[in-house]
């Protein structure tokens, strides 16, 4: 059995080398260090309201030396799956069909599908237009596995308790140091859990934010250790905010989330003044990688963030 596995891995790697086709089971060779890298970090239910009063030195440093807005507007309903999907797919629920907090598939025929029968998202777009890319997708909320086609990321991994203890962040750090991914998504869930159990805008919520900030620091350090820091853009954002012990409603505390861009070619200490929506994140990442975005997308790159 072992031999066969090894053989199929080798043939797959050879095929990949020759044809530049996707072969998700094969760990890719680390990318060219001079190429642009994107690390997208999402915090579930991270309301923009919380930023001024939070003890988040790592995030604050990225804001101070990057471009940011605290008025990035989530789509309605201000729930998880509709917004993560919009963030990844440059579109709103009326187009991609993920309409409820735990949608596992579109509730109706989406406005378009790609070759994987999936509404076109940034992960598939990168894979199709730059097949050699190393793509990683780490998530803590199990519902996130339905938001990306499984055959697209080279590494797609549920990291339990990522927001609660260091080993999760360390595991991702090891991967980054070794693989130097072109595009890595890391989704923290602890802010949502704490919002639902202890409440938004509570000491417990701010404590969780601080803890996650420390883990983001571990990931930032890994990017430095990997030797790709000078060619990396970090994007920090959220799916939605929250109020009381919930979210999903129309209040700005539930709808406004931070969007922070930091790194190569990004303005420093710049507050974005234009209107920004969750679905603009996908378009912005497409712009960074030089990808052509699908006609069905309504997102626009946040041009004013770039130098
Ligand atoms: Zn959420």
């Amino acid at each position: 059995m072992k031999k066969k596995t090894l053989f199929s891995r080798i043939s797959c790697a050879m095929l990949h080398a020759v044809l530049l086709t996707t072969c998700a089971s094969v760990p890719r060779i680390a990318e060219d260090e001079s190429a642009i890298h994107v690390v997208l970090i999402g915090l579930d239910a991270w309301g923009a309201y919380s930023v001024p009063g939070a003890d988040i030195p790592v995030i604050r440093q990225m804001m101070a030396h990057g471009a940011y807005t605290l008025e990035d507007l989530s789509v309605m309903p201000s729930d998880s799956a509709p917004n993560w999907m919009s963030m990844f797919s440059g579109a709103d629920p009326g187009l991609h069909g993920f309409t409820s907090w735990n949608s596992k598939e579109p509730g109706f025929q989406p406005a378009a599908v790609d070759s994987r029968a999936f509404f076109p998202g940034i992960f598939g777009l990168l894979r199709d237009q730059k097949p050699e890319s190393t793509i990683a997708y780490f998530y803590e909320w199990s519902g996130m596995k339905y938001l990306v086609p499984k055959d697209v990321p080279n590494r797609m991994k549920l990291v339990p308790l990522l927001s609660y203890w260091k080993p999760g962040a360390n595991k991702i750090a090891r991967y980054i140091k070794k693989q130097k991914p072109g595009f890595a998504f890391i989704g923290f869930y602890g802010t949502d859990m704490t919002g639902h159990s202890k409440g938004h805008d509570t000491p417990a919520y701010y404590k969780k934010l601080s803890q996650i900030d420390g883990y983001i620091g571990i990931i930032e350090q890994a990017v430095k250790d990997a030797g790709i820091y000078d060619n990396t853009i970090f994007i920090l954002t959220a799916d939605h905010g929250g109020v009381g012990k919930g979210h999903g409603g129309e209040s700005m505390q539930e709808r406004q989330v931070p969007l922070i861009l930091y790194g190569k070619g990004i303005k420093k200490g710049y507050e974005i003044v234009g209107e920004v929506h969750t679905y603009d994140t996908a378009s912005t990442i497409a712009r960074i990688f030089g990808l052509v975005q699908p006609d069905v997308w309504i997102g626009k790159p946040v041009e004013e963030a770039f130098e």
Side-chain angles (χ1 to χ4, degrees):
M1 273 308 269
K2 258 189 178 171
K3 252 186 181 172
K4 195 179 173 189
T5 311
L6 184 65
F7 176 72
S8 41
R9 279 182 175 230
I10 290 168
S11 353
C12 203
M14 285 168 71
L15 263 178
H16 170 250
V18 176
L19 301 172
L20 283 180
T21 52
T22 60
C23 194
S25 64
V26 177
R28 277 158 206 279
I29 302 159
E31 287 193 7
D32 177 4
E33 289 177 8
S34 65
I36 195 80
H37 299 257
V38 173
V39 178
L40 173 63
I41 298 176
L43 278 63
D44 205 308
W46 179 26
Y49 74 83
S50 68
V51 171
D55 179 21
I56 44 173
V58 175
I59 294 171
R60 216 168 282 297
Q61 187 271 344
M62 290 189 184
M63 285 173 73
H65 299 279
Y68 68 94
T69 174
L70 297 181
E71 295 180 359
D72 185 1
L73 204 56
S74 68
V75 299
M76 290 299 295
S78 54
D79 283 326
S80 298
N83 273 286
W84 289 120
M85 193 63 187
S86 297
M87 186 194 300
F88 297 158
S89 72
D92 68 9
L95 293 166
H96 57 62
F98 284 64
T99 52
S100 73
W101 73 272
N102 63 346
S103 292
K104 294 179 172 62
E105 57 186 10
F108 46 83
Q109 181 63 35
V113 291
D114 64 10
S115 59
R116 307 167 185 88
F118 212 86
F119 188 87
I122 187 63
F123 298 94
L125 205 66
L126 181 59
R127 175 61 71 228
D128 289 342
Q129 295 184 30
K130 295 197 167 179
E132 73 280 12
S133 302
T134 304
I135 302 173
Y137 185 85
F138 296 102
Y139 60 102
E140 185 179 8
W141 175 46
S142 58
M144 297 205 73
K145 73 178 165 196
Y146 305 102
L147 309 178
V148 171
K150 284 185 182 55
D151 63 334
V152 167
N154 303 84
R155 183 82 172 134
M156 182 163 173
K157 185 78 183 158
L158 174 70
V159 185
L161 301 176
L162 175 59
S163 304
Y164 293 83
W165 67 327
K166 244 183 191 172
N170 286 340
K171 185 180 188 156
I172 295 169
R174 281 195 299 276
Y175 175 88
I176 289 172
K177 280 189 262 190
K178 192 173 175 200
Q179 298 294 339
K180 312 180 200 297
F183 181 31
F185 169 77
I186 300 146
F188 289 92
Y189 185 39
T191 23
D192 189 72
M193 295 276 278
T194 307
H196 286 303
S197 60
K198 310 280 187 190
H200 271 263
D201 206 10
T202 60
Y205 182 84
Y206 286 102
K207 196 175 163 193
K208 184 53 67 184
L209 263 179
S210 292
Q211 193 178 1
I212 293 173
D213 184 77
Y215 299 151
I216 294 172
I218 291 174
I219 289 157
E220 184 185 22
Q221 185 59 47
V223 172
K224 288 179 181 170
D225 294 343
I228 55 174
Y229 195 70
D230 292 343
N231 292 313
T232 294
I233 296 175
F234 290 87
I235 302 176
L236 273 58
T237 190
D239 53 347
H240 54 78
V243 64
K245 287 186 175 177
H247 55 80
E250 298 165 358
S251 70
M252 284 300 140
Q253 198 170 322
E254 290 159 280
R255 294 198 68 198
Q256 284 181 332
V257 295
L259 176 69
I260 301 162
L261 296 105
Y262 165 71
K264 184 170 182 153
I266 301 296
K267 285 181 186 163
K268 291 170 181 58
Y270 180 78
E271 186 169 3
I272 296 161
V273 293
E275 196 177 307
V276 180
H277 296 265
T278 303
Y279 42 74
D280 294 328
T281 302
S283 298
T284 303
I285 297 169
R287 180 214 190 270
I288 293 168
F289 285 123
L291 309 176
V292 179
Q293 78 172 48
D295 290 341
V296 72
W297 285 16
I298 56 173
K300 292 192 290 282
V302 184
E303 287 295 345
E304 63 172 302
F306 295 88
E307 276 171 343

